[in-house]
Amino acid sequence: MQSLIEKIRQGSFSDFPGGIRPQQFKELSNQSPVSRLPLPEKLFIPVKQHIGVEGQIKVAIGDKVSKGEALTQSMNPFAVPVHASTSGEITAITEHVSAHPSGLPEMTIELTPDGEEHWAELTPMLDYRQQPKTKVLEAICQAGISGLGGAGFPTHIKVTPKKDIEFLIINGVECEPYISADDRLMREHSWQIRQGIDILCHLLNPKYVLIAIEDNKPQAINAMKVACQENPDYIICSIPTKYPAGGEKQLIQVLTDREVPYNGLPVDVGIVMQNVATCYAIADAIFTGKPLLQRVVTLTGKALQKPGNVWGLLGTPVSHLLDHAGYTPGKRKKLIMGGPMMGFELASPEIPVVKITNCILAPDDKEMPEAADEQPCIRCSACADACPAELLPQQLFWHAQAKELDKAKDYNLFDCIECGACAYVCPSKIPLVHYYRIAKAEIRTEEDEKQKADKARERFEFRKQRLEQEKAEREARHQRASEARKAAMDKDGGDSRARVAATLARAKAKQNSDQSSTEATDKVAAAVARAKAKRQATQKSAPEPHQTDNTEQDDKAAKVAAAVARAKAKKQATQKSAPEPNQTDSTEQNDKAAKVAAAVARAKAKKQATQQRAPESTQTDSNEQDDKAARIAAAVARAKEKKNKRSIDKPEPEQTHQDIDTPMITADNDKKQKVAAAIARAKAKKALKDNNSS
Amino acid sequence: MSVLVALIAIGALALVFGLILGYAAVRFKVKSDPLVDQIDAILPQTQCGQCGYPGCRPYAQAIAEGDEINKCPPGGEATIRHLADLMGVEAKPLDSAHGEEDNKKVAYIREDECIGCTKCIQACPVDAIVGASKQMHTVLIEECTGCDLCVDPCPVDCIDMVPLKPTVSSWRWQLNSIPVRNVE
């Protein structure tokens, strides 16, 4: 370990594989100090300017805001707020073309500056060493600081590591051609950058701090050396100029000879890397309390008469910056945000400066001619030699072109840092990086869709299960109900039947015993009694006094007769089991018989009822008839509707008059009309369907 | 004699192996066809029924039993390619009889026209529509698979299929390069 640090101190570094040495063009813009521009007419501050999630907007249109006031807030740890870059009025919260290769509109807060530049209340934290680390981190987060190097990762997350940090690397390499923003910043504000490094050291406790600067920026190296001379643990590393030495993984390899593992982070090898501009912003946030409102933007390219670096307020439209740099557009009016290697073409000059905007490149037509026609790959493998990630670009290209995404993934497509070195060296002028970007996007979309499909399957299966369960429950309920009904019926019916049977048996038994004992003696009496009983039964309204007479005459005979009569009446009643009014008469005669009859009637009624319920299925046949009826009804409705329409058409003037008079009624009418419209639409649809089917 | 010995030996072997195989067939029985699961995992799960089967799983079953692999318009070419890989058959173009590959869409209910009949809720295979009887319904865009099944049952035709707007995260790069050239 000691040897590694000694090696670094001596200035002997490792190297990363591949890489290219394009012409630098840095002298175009790095000659003059960073200048300030007048306020633009309007600022467009996108709500989301970094990797992560956006916060909720907490201002409304018409609000007056002070400079540095937070415009969004969020509880999500991956969200950092955006702030008002100057004082003024919120004039719109709407979608505005975004600083993204697609130029798709994104939610943006439009701020009209009032020119007063009055600050919101600032809370500096000069005694940060006495404060708990979480409070310092909170201050960094609330200042809206995200990585200013290019990716825009929220800084407060990056500086809350879970592991011990050996090296804190400050990235001032700035390896891309044309860009000189970090160079100028280091030359002019090296002290403040060092203050930012102090704060990071307080948070991370690294063993060593390596400040890496490419050797093509000697003035910046000197400035940083002067600023850091008091602290022996801050080592300024002047590394050889080679693109892309400023890439996170490449720089780690150059300085420490360590490789960040696949799918891993620098923290896994004990390293945290921060950009110099981020250090500057952190110092601003802690020592003055100012949130991140501006950044150095390099304006360069041969289409500009006055290239240079400017302090760009976040939200300033690119066109405003270009106006002050003497922009004379060529025929193609090409504008690039970022460097020529990794930047993207701007969809519109109205795109605002955001936290990751380090350069606006305005090349003239000669500088960057129209892309030459792509030619077939000749398998020269120049790209493989240039690749800093040791991938096989020609194979990746092959599979990306054939849409064999799985195979492209097998060739570690996601390790590609999209530096563009392969495309730069390609003799066939193949835009390799774009193929990789498309392939990456497609793989991401596919994975996204797969996830969605899995979710949909889960929901579908859950729904199926739920429906089945509901069906089973319904069936169980029906079964229970029918069983209960059956049981009730059985109880009722069984009772009455048993009673009937019992009485019949009793009657028969009596008859039998009578017949056997008094056959001989009282045949006549029995016949008379039977006749009488018959008469009684047929008359059905036989008064009891008659019977009392009989009893006087002959007890036994009367008893027999009565029994027979009763039995017969019962028999009749049960056979009839019919209209109760008739039976009411017999009730007087015989209570028991009536009861039996009633019970039977009830049972029968129940049976009928269940039978009626059962043949529901047969009703489907009648549905056809119903359909016809419905169709007729629909036709009639349609006719009516037409008629209505005609009649409505006529008296419209009158109606409008009414409308003015009685707004209350119109509201009511509105509803009615809506309902009517809905019904009419439904009917029309049905009619259409009917027509189609017939 | 030797022929008899051979016959007996072979017969005995056959019997032993037969028993082993028979036991294995019972012991290691797989209830559902794992191939169906694999196919089902590739299908897009819109449950739209455009393939002619009542959902993605039935179609997966049908493919496992030898049906064509090009009947899924929501999945499109990508799904066909994956299915061809899995089934070891030649990928073929989408069968246009079942529909064309289209941009992803989601259902949208024009809420002031909705009469609250709940018919679309019953039709939705993934429970992506919320609402109650005589209350306005609405579609959960996140859950909607764009299957179209709710459009037909609507008695007042207030459901539209709206193509999804591309967002910054779903946007795809186009092939326009930014080359850098040395200027002589």
Side-chain angles (χ1 to χ4, degrees), chain A residues 100-102 104 106 336 343-344 368 371 424 434 437-438 450 453 455-457 459-460 463 466 678 681-682 685, chain B residues 40-41 45 47 113 122 124-127 142-143 152 154-157 167-168 171 173 176-180:
Chain A
H100 184 268
S102 62
L104 286 170
E106 281 204 313
I336 293 164
F344 57 90
M368 280 188 196
Y424 179 79
H434 290 270
R437 281 172 174 165
I438 291 168
K450 178 113 187 66
K455 202 166 81 173
R457 182 187 302 115
R459 289 177 75 86
F460 176 64
R463 180 176 189 266
R466 194 193 71 217
R681 244 183 315 196
K685 206 189 172 193
Chain B
D40 194 36
Q45 304 301 323
Q47 319 293 351
E113 287 176 30
Q122 289 154 32
C124 181
V126 291
D127 285 337
E142 281 295 299
E143 313 295 347
D152 224 30
C154 180
V156 291
D157 273 339
T167 61
V168 170
W171 177 80
W173 281 86
N176 50 353
S177 61
I178 308 166
V180 64

